[in-house]
Amino acid sequence: MIFTNVSRLGDFLLLWPVASWYYKETGDKIHWVLSDNFPIYRKIENLMMLQEMTKKVSYVDVGTNAGDTNDWKFNPSSFGIEGDYYNFGFFSHPDRKS
C-alpha cells in the first residue's frame, strides 16, 4: 500500500502508528511517497527503512503544505508510482484511491 504525506516531521511521525497498525492488520508493507521539497524526510530515510512496516521510500515533486488540498491530495501514478494509495493530509481525513 502506498501512503503519501507532505507534512512536517512531527505530524509525519504521528502517522507511523497508523502505518504500523495497517501493516499488522493486512501484512501489506508501506511504500512511502513523500515530498522531495521537504529535506527532513531524506535525513530519516534510514530510520524509515528499519521499520518492519516499510517496503520502500520514494520522493516526488509536490508541495509541503499539509493543510492545502492541492499539495497533499495527489495521485502517485502521476509520478510513475502505481498502486492503491492513501493520501494523508494534516487537516483532513485520509483519501483512499485504488
Side-chain angles (χ1 to χ4, degrees), residues 22 39 59:
Y22 177 86
Y59 302 94

Side-chain angles (χ1 to χ4, degrees), residues 72-73 86-96:
W72 69 265
K73 202 171 185 180
Y86 284 103
N87 292 123
F88 289 90
F90 183 68
F91 293 108
S92 186
H93 300 289
D95 179 49
R96 181 178 192 277

